[in-house]
Amino acid sequence: MNTRRSRFVGLLAAGALILAACGSDDDATDDTGDDAAAGEDAADDAEIDEDDVVGDPDGEFEVFALLPQGNDQPYGSTYLPPMQEMAAELGISLTITNSQYDADTQASECEVAVAAAPDLIILWPAVGDTVRPCLSAAQDAGIPVTITNSDVNPEDEDLTRGYSGPDTYGQGVASAELMCEAADGAEIGIIVVNGLTGNSTAINRREGFVDTVEAQCPNVTILAEQPGDWNADDSQIAASEMLTAVGPDNVQGIYAADDTMAAGAIDALVARGLDPAEMIITSIGNTFLGNPLVIDGSLNGTVFQSSSWDGENAVTLAHEILTEDPSERVVRFMPDVKVTADNATDADVAPEW
Amino acid sequence: MSQTTSEPTTEPEPQQGLALGAAPGDLLQRLRTAVARRTEGRAVALLTLVVITVAIVEPRALTSYPVTLGRIALIGLVALGLTAVILMGELDLGVASTLAVSGVVMASFESLTVGIIVALLGGLLIGVVNAFFVVIVGINSFIATLGMLFFLRGAAFVISGEQPVRVANADTALQFGRPLVGPLTPRILIFIVVFIALHVFVTRMRVGREFYAVGGNREAAYDAGIPVVRRVFTGFMISGFVSALAGVINAMERTAADPTAGGTVLLASFAAAIIGGVLLNGGRGSIVGALLGAATLGILQVSLTLSGVQVDVQNIIIGSVLLLAVISDPASVRRVMARASTFLSERSKPQPAG
């Protein structure tokens, strides 16, 4: 796979140089065939660059991983290396794609993957509602599919063999438990900054948080909610508007659905001359942005989402399906580790992204 | 965009007959003239280069031709409609947003038939509004369609409630993505029909041929009595309709409409047109060229994906192909050669004694 890739890139580069050197369109193709053939021979003898290795070139299994992000996103860039290392360890040859959250591109990549007839497809849905045709096509071709990071809709689960990744509802529960513990029975009012409206992770985290607060600490009252769109700037505006709407004196806490938005909400407090350390603020992520906020006391607690766990387990689950062929759908949730000032500096919760 | 380019209308010329009785010199000259008039030369060269390379290195991209054809249709459909606008020297930046909003509109209806009709009519209406701002109000098409891009994207989010909209009859929609004739899916068949229709329109029908005159020299087109305003309206309506059609097809194939759809469509369709030799200033290019450009990109993308090339590297390669298509334009090469020649001749002049 990798030899082919190196060959391909090399040949295209050589062909491009030939075409550019010709400076006109009509002569280019004559030389291409010869050059391509020569390039292929050369590439046959070429050593594979270690940096280009994806999985094990002599892998026992061929697996396509259809992802919506990669090195273009902080999470993806720390998700991929552990995934590739685990693949190499388990003898899996990975072909990784990145649709950049374009559902049509991912659908087309899925068609390519099905045509390539790999042993298994790992799918991280770009848009959960649009993956059923891809899953059906894979099923028709007899290719098992496992899901990573964001699970498919319940009605599509029977087309997949397993899921590994965060339990987004459970993350909301864990963040609510942090809030309840910090409130310690006191009657407080809080504002909520949610993720992007309609996004399944945002919906699940909110449900987990709200359900838990209602069940475990009815002394915590949600005064207002607004989306912060996973974005610090939007979150700052949303938090500022909610503070104005309900009155800053009535607000003793904030829940934000991720650390980035928590940072934006904290900025909104500071801009109003309020001390974040006097508020109860909880979040989800334990990122490079959120972890220092926990250490300095601005954020009471967050829930660790490990990109390395996510990447590794996508491959280990695939390997389990390929080698053990379990009859039931396998679901492997990421542990929801709570991070507070007590453990924020521990090595096992060191932020990864 | 450019309203008065001096580029003469060179496409499509009626095919010059190569008289059997002509002298060999004449025949050669006529052949050279005919070839020189075509604008797809670079696209053919690039496509040949890509196909040869792929055939050697990643033949699965060619043996799995239904998949590759599907990718070409995905990229190419919007590019075909866009070409109709570019030929007149205008731009339509709203194609991807039109695609997104059309899919959402279609999926919002309980009846697929009604949804499809409303979505396609919506595409035509978007084209009318674009053209109105460009030729009646007089706003540059880049700015007018940029505004439309944001407006329609926002509309898609509002109509969909900011989440994907499932097609009411998902089972029917799911069948839409399956092969209909041999290995050809409805998307590919529709793409072929649109290609033939647009090619015939711009090469065989007077209205279509006048697109070149409007794009080549708008003032001259006015003077020649060509109804420029109506032609621009027609072009934008074609672009809007085809983009809406692409949105409907995408929503049907995915069984849901995503308001964020089309993120990569705008640049890919422009790239296909440019690689196909369509001049952004208007007046030059062809529907065949856009098809060749889409085929080049489609084959390249599928083979790179099959070869496991990361998307970052894919973008570098596709960007290089695009640059190559631009810099190998004979006009660009002639310009560079002329400048080099001027520079060298000035350097070789004897310097005045000081």
Side-chain angles (χ1 to χ4, degrees), chain A residues 1 4-5 7-9 11-12 15-16 19-20 23 25 29 32-33 36-37 40 54 64 71 84 95-98 100 102-105 107-109 111-112 115-116 127 129-130 133 136 140 153 155-156 197-198, chain B residues 41-42 45-46 48-49 52-54 56-58 60 64 67 71 74 162-164 166 174 178 250 253-256 258 261-264 300 302-312 315 317 324 328 330 333:
Chain A
M1 185 70 71
R4 192 183 295 132
R5 186 179 56 175
R7 246 187 256 168
F8 198 7
V9 173
L11 281 173
L12 278 172
L19 194 62
D25 36 285
T29 50
T32 311
E40 185 188 23
V54 177
F64 261 74
N71 291 322
Q84 291 166 336
T95 300
I96 299 173
T97 68
N98 174 359
Q100 299 173 319
D102 185 332
D104 297 321
T105 300
S108 184
E109 286 169 354
E111 288 173 3
V112 173
V127 179
D129 287 285
T130 64
S136 296
D140 292 348
N153 293 327
E155 62 268 30
D156 296 335
T197 307
Chain B
R42 279 171 302 141
L46 275 169
T48 309
L49 169 67
I52 290 172
T53 308
V54 167
I56 295 167
V57 182
E58 189 51 86
R60 284 183 299 175
S64 307
V67 173
R71 180 68 71 101
L74 180 71
E162 301 186 354
Q163 54 189 318
R166 287 223 160 191
L174 201 57
R178 299 190 187 281
N250 285 359
E253 280 196 354
R254 316 280 170 261
T255 69
D258 175 22
T264 56
L300 203 52
V302 169
S303 50
L304 289 168
T305 301
L306 280 169
S307 301
V309 177
Q310 297 284 346
V311 72
D312 316 337
N315 287 338
I317 293 170
L324 195 58
S328 61
V333 172

Side-chain angles (χ1 to χ4, degrees), chain B residues 5 8 15 18 37 91 94-95 100 103 113 119 121 142 161 167 210-211 213-214 220 229 266 294 298 329 354:
Chain B
T5 53
Q15 300 301 312
L18 300 174
R37 282 194 171 127
L91 295 176
V95 287
T113 311
L121 288 175
F142 181 93
V167 174
E210 286 174 354
F211 280 23
V214 173
V229 171
L266 178 64
D329 176 55

Side-chain angles (χ1 to χ4, degrees), chain B residues 3 32 74 92 106 196 218 223 229 232 236 257-258 268 280:
Chain B
Q3 306 294 314
R32 290 177 70 173
L74 180 71
D92 185 355
M106 190 276 279
I196 293 170
R218 189 159 294 186
D223 293 344
V229 171
V232 175
F236 274 106
D258 175 22
L280 286 181

Side-chain angles (χ1 to χ4, degrees), chain B residues 145-157:
Chain B
T145 57
L146 186 65
M148 188 59 85
L149 180 157
F150 286 110
F151 176 85
L152 294 176
R153 183 64 69 183
F157 276 105

